Amino acid sequence: MQSQIANWFNICDTLAPDTAKNFISMTATTNSRYVTRKPEILSGEPIIQGTRTPVRAIVENWRLGIRPEEIPLHLPHLTLAQVFDALSFYLDNQAEVNEYIERNHVSDELVHPAIKARLNQQ
């Protein structure tokens, strides 16, 4: 076991800092039952297994004040277990998921006025 850990650190030391960070975050997320990554789907962003739904979509609903039990009403292809697993994954990987949320944020000036008006009614 000690030699495996030493080898892992040697591998990380030889990688560029960003590559090592991505390698570490990708290997640290294998304990999730429903969250996975596939390089061909959203460039490896964490998604719900068997879907193209990113964890960030669930987190953004939750941040809007939607209770976890209600999220499957908004994303009906998901189960409650998948929602809770995604939120658990988020709590363990907040910096990474927050980065994906920030990258995919649509600025206010790009939102159509009709959509803004509708959002303001709610």
Side-chain angles (χ1 to χ4, degrees):
M1 181 70 169
Q2 289 285 347
S3 64
Q4 289 175 330
I5 293 172
N7 286 341
W8 186 79
F9 281 112
N10 287 337
I11 291 169
C12 288
D13 287 341
T14 61
L15 298 172
D18 288 341
T19 306
K21 178 183 167 191
N22 291 337
F23 178 76
I24 291 167
S25 69
M26 290 182 84
T27 58
T29 61
T30 58
N31 293 333
S32 178
R33 182 171 179 186
Y34 297 107
V35 177
T36 190
R37 298 170 192 270
K38 294 188 176 188
E40 67 276 10
I41 300 175
L42 299 175
S43 301
E45 180 177 345
I47 59 171
I48 301 302
Q49 188 173 20
T51 74
R52 295 180 60 85
T53 304
V55 169
R56 72 178 149 82
I58 295 166
V59 172
E60 288 176 301
N61 275 277
W62 183 55
R63 284 181 172 180
L64 289 171
I66 299 171
R67 294 183 353 205
E69 296 84 3
E70 296 172 342
I71 293 175
L73 298 174
H74 299 270
L75 301 168
H77 60 287
L78 299 180
T79 66
L80 187 55
Q82 290 170 316
V83 169
F84 276 114
D85 192 50
L87 292 174
S88 176
F89 176 89
Y90 169 66
L91 294 173
D92 289 339
N93 301 278
Q94 287 184 37
E96 177 189 5
V97 176
N98 287 340
E99 188 176 314
Y100 286 116
I101 290 170
E102 192 62 36
R103 274 192 223 162
N104 289 280
H105 176 75
V106 177
S107 64
D108 287 340
E109 62 264 6
L110 295 177
V111 177
H112 192 278
I115 300 295
K116 284 184 187 179
R118 182 149 188 203
L119 290 173
N120 289 333
Q121 290 175 353
Q122 296 176 355

